[in-house]
Amino acid sequence: MNRPLRILISGGGTGGHIFPAIAIANALRRRYPDSAILFVGAEGRMEMQRVPEAGYEIKALPVAGFDRRRPWRNIGVLMKLWRSMRLAKKIVADFRPDIAIGVGGYASGPTLKAAQKAGVATLLQEQNGYAGVTNKLLAAKADAICVAYEGMDRFFSADKIHLTGNPVRLELLEERPSHQEAVKALGLDPEKPVVLVTGGSLGARTINRSIAAALPLLQQQGIQVVWQMGKIYVDEYMPIAKKYSNVKPMVFISDMAQAYAAADVVVARAGAGTISELQLLGEAAILIPSPNVAEDHQRHNAEALVERQAATMILDSDAEQQLGQKIVDLMGNPKLKATLSKNIREMALNKSDERIVDIAAEILCQRDRGTERQKIERQKTEDRIID
């Protein structure tokens, strides 16, 4: 592909969608530096901040997720969906993309649907081991579907599936300090073990509540805690964290490479992006799947690791009672910790962003060849008519 490309990328809502999308965009920019890349996200969601910070333009759709618990509220959601579909159609018509890439999240449905109706090539990136509703609805007309788990032919046509893994932030791999450097930079004691606790970029109520309950035990056992609590929980949990000398409380961790390098054990949700990072870095982890996600996909993600002895898992409902002792037990079992680290690293798929760009390039080459054949056939037809 020698010509400048026009690429539409849509999705978001959480860091688990946004960071892979930005990683794909960065890989496309490295491969095709003259190409135009436009993001489409959901109004008011975190992609509206993170994507411009990464240097990309983004358009917003007023789309929102369906409220499964309070269905009477979905009248407004349907109105937003209708407006989003009309706006997505206009964005596609104005931008005229060569290809549209959907990474999941509220905005990807209307955007990729509009692209497919306009005859634009589409590529889906399914990050979880249990396919989301949006990608299942878009799959029939997609040119390719990039997945992170085997066995996804349960949801998609096998001839469209490509096992690529989930892209992660390159700085996690390229700028990773040593364990000793990371511990020192965080102001921690290099002689004591460290657990990194994160509920993701927005925080997680259950994880915060559970680690708060575990702090007396962890302090007693000499275990240090790097605790990312999220901005919406800071007022509730920062005063608790500051009572303990073994805790490094943080609202948001901007240098995750440093935080991961300092950690002997990681406590986290089981989102696809987090798991991909844990796999590439070989982190021993305790996963607490969120029950508040579509199709309970985080539990499926976690179970795929537990079955291969690549992580341990606590159900959300058990976390407050079990997390502290689980951390102590894992810290005290070097053999198990080493096994988890080895097995999760073996599940990693490297250079996922480049693999996805390779597939996008092949789709576009096939489209170009098809267009060229059509031109030749048209010319032959015109020549016969003239003759």
Short mmCIF file of all heavy atoms in Angstrom, two decimals, residues 9 21 27 61 65 70 97 156 183 204 228 234 240 251 258-259 263 308 325 353 382:
data_model
loop_
_atom_site.label_atom_id
_atom_site.label_comp_id
_atom_site.label_asym_id
_atom_site.label_seq_id
_atom_site.Cartn_x
_atom_site.Cartn_y
_atom_site.Cartn_z
N ILE A 9 -11.24 4.68 13.31
CA ILE A 9 -11.14 3.77 14.45
C ILE A 9 -12.22 4.15 15.46
O ILE A 9 -12.34 5.32 15.83
CB ILE A 9 -9.75 3.83 15.11
CG1 ILE A 9 -8.66 3.46 14.10
CG2 ILE A 9 -9.69 2.89 16.31
CD1 ILE A 9 -7.25 3.58 14.65
N ALA A 21 -6.92 0.60 21.08
CA ALA A 21 -7.23 1.40 19.89
C ALA A 21 -6.10 2.36 19.56
O ALA A 21 -5.71 2.52 18.39
CB ALA A 21 -8.53 2.18 20.13
N ALA A 27 0.58 2.02 15.49
CA ALA A 27 1.20 1.09 14.55
C ALA A 27 0.87 1.47 13.10
O ALA A 27 1.72 1.36 12.21
CB ALA A 27 0.73 -0.34 14.84
N LEU A 61 -20.10 10.61 19.54
CA LEU A 61 -21.49 10.21 19.32
C LEU A 61 -22.22 10.24 20.67
O LEU A 61 -21.63 9.86 21.69
CB LEU A 61 -21.57 8.79 18.74
CG LEU A 61 -20.89 8.52 17.41
CD1 LEU A 61 -21.11 7.06 17.00
CD2 LEU A 61 -21.39 9.45 16.33
N GLY A 65 -24.92 2.95 26.74
CA GLY A 65 -25.24 1.54 26.86
C GLY A 65 -26.64 1.31 27.40
O GLY A 65 -27.22 2.17 28.07
N ARG A 70 -32.72 -1.52 34.69
CA ARG A 70 -33.86 -0.60 34.70
C ARG A 70 -34.29 -0.32 33.27
O ARG A 70 -33.98 0.73 32.71
CB ARG A 70 -33.47 0.69 35.44
CG ARG A 70 -33.21 0.48 36.92
CD ARG A 70 -32.45 1.63 37.54
NE ARG A 70 -31.08 1.70 37.03
CZ ARG A 70 -30.14 2.52 37.52
NH1 ARG A 70 -30.42 3.31 38.53
NH2 ARG A 70 -28.93 2.53 37.02
N PRO A 97 -13.55 6.89 4.67
CA PRO A 97 -12.43 6.02 5.05
C PRO A 97 -12.21 4.88 4.07
O PRO A 97 -13.14 4.42 3.40
CB PRO A 97 -12.88 5.47 6.41
CG PRO A 97 -14.38 5.49 6.34
CD PRO A 97 -14.72 6.72 5.55
N PHE A 156 -17.89 -16.47 15.83
CA PHE A 156 -17.62 -15.88 14.52
C PHE A 156 -17.29 -16.95 13.49
O PHE A 156 -16.86 -18.06 13.84
CB PHE A 156 -16.44 -14.90 14.61
CG PHE A 156 -16.56 -13.85 15.68
CD1 PHE A 156 -15.58 -13.72 16.65
CD2 PHE A 156 -17.65 -13.00 15.72
CE1 PHE A 156 -15.68 -12.75 17.64
CE2 PHE A 156 -17.76 -12.02 16.70
CZ PHE A 156 -16.77 -11.90 17.67
N VAL A 183 11.03 0.01 42.70
CA VAL A 183 10.74 0.08 44.13
C VAL A 183 11.34 1.35 44.73
O VAL A 183 10.69 2.05 45.52
CB VAL A 183 11.28 -1.19 44.85
CG1 VAL A 183 11.25 -1.00 46.36
CG2 VAL A 183 10.47 -2.41 44.45
N ALA A 204 -12.32 0.58 41.01
CA ALA A 204 -13.35 -0.44 41.16
C ALA A 204 -13.76 -0.51 42.62
O ALA A 204 -12.91 -0.71 43.50
CB ALA A 204 -12.82 -1.80 40.69
N GLN A 228 -3.90 1.92 43.41
CA GLN A 228 -4.58 2.88 42.53
C GLN A 228 -6.07 2.76 42.80
O GLN A 228 -6.69 1.75 42.49
CB GLN A 228 -4.29 2.59 41.06
CG GLN A 228 -5.07 3.53 40.13
CD GLN A 228 -4.81 3.27 38.66
OE1 GLN A 228 -3.85 3.73 38.09
NE2 GLN A 228 -5.69 2.49 38.04
N VAL A 234 -11.53 8.51 45.59
CA VAL A 234 -10.43 9.07 46.36
C VAL A 234 -10.89 9.64 47.70
O VAL A 234 -10.22 9.47 48.73
CB VAL A 234 -9.65 10.11 45.53
CG1 VAL A 234 -10.51 11.32 45.20
CG2 VAL A 234 -8.39 10.54 46.25
N ILE A 240 -8.34 6.44 54.50
CA ILE A 240 -8.06 5.11 55.06
C ILE A 240 -6.62 4.70 54.73
O ILE A 240 -5.87 4.23 55.60
CB ILE A 240 -9.05 4.07 54.49
CG1 ILE A 240 -10.48 4.41 54.94
CG2 ILE A 240 -8.66 2.65 54.92
CD1 ILE A 240 -11.55 3.55 54.28
N VAL A 251 -4.22 8.08 43.05
CA VAL A 251 -5.51 8.25 42.38
C VAL A 251 -5.46 7.57 41.02
O VAL A 251 -6.33 6.79 40.64
CB VAL A 251 -5.85 9.74 42.23
CG1 VAL A 251 -7.18 9.90 41.49
CG2 VAL A 251 -5.91 10.41 43.59
N GLN A 258 6.45 1.32 35.56
CA GLN A 258 7.12 1.36 36.86
C GLN A 258 6.34 0.56 37.91
O GLN A 258 6.92 -0.21 38.68
CB GLN A 258 7.26 2.81 37.31
CG GLN A 258 7.95 3.02 38.64
CD GLN A 258 7.90 4.48 39.05
OE1 GLN A 258 6.91 4.95 39.58
NE2 GLN A 258 8.98 5.20 38.79
N ALA A 259 5.02 0.74 37.93
CA ALA A 259 4.19 0.05 38.91
C ALA A 259 4.25 -1.47 38.74
O ALA A 259 4.38 -2.21 39.72
CB ALA A 259 2.75 0.54 38.81
N ALA A 263 5.97 -4.59 41.32
CA ALA A 263 5.04 -5.55 41.93
C ALA A 263 5.59 -6.97 41.96
O ALA A 263 6.15 -7.47 40.98
CB ALA A 263 3.73 -5.53 41.17
N ARG A 308 -5.37 -22.83 33.02
CA ARG A 308 -3.99 -23.13 32.63
C ARG A 308 -3.00 -22.81 33.75
O ARG A 308 -1.81 -22.71 33.51
CB ARG A 308 -3.64 -22.35 31.36
CG ARG A 308 -4.49 -22.76 30.16
CD ARG A 308 -4.17 -22.01 28.90
NE ARG A 308 -2.80 -22.16 28.45
CZ ARG A 308 -2.36 -21.75 27.27
NH1 ARG A 308 -3.21 -21.19 26.42
NH2 ARG A 308 -1.11 -21.91 26.93
N GLN A 325 -6.09 -12.57 52.81
CA GLN A 325 -5.43 -13.85 53.03
C GLN A 325 -4.88 -14.42 51.72
O GLN A 325 -3.82 -15.07 51.71
CB GLN A 325 -6.40 -14.83 53.66
CG GLN A 325 -5.73 -16.10 54.20
CD GLN A 325 -4.69 -15.81 55.26
OE1 GLN A 325 -4.95 -15.09 56.22
NE2 GLN A 325 -3.47 -16.32 55.07
N ASP A 353 -0.29 -5.31 17.77
CA ASP A 353 -0.64 -4.13 16.97
C ASP A 353 -0.15 -4.28 15.54
O ASP A 353 -0.88 -3.97 14.58
CB ASP A 353 -0.08 -2.85 17.61
CG ASP A 353 1.42 -2.93 17.90
OD1 ASP A 353 2.01 -4.03 17.78
OD2 ASP A 353 2.00 -1.88 18.25
N GLU A 382 -16.43 -1.74 -22.47
CA GLU A 382 -16.54 -0.50 -23.28
C GLU A 382 -15.86 -0.69 -24.64
O GLU A 382 -16.37 -0.22 -25.66
CB GLU A 382 -15.89 0.66 -22.52
CG GLU A 382 -16.69 1.10 -21.29
CD GLU A 382 -15.94 2.12 -20.46
OE1 GLU A 382 -14.83 2.51 -20.86
OE2 GLU A 382 -16.49 2.52 -19.40
#
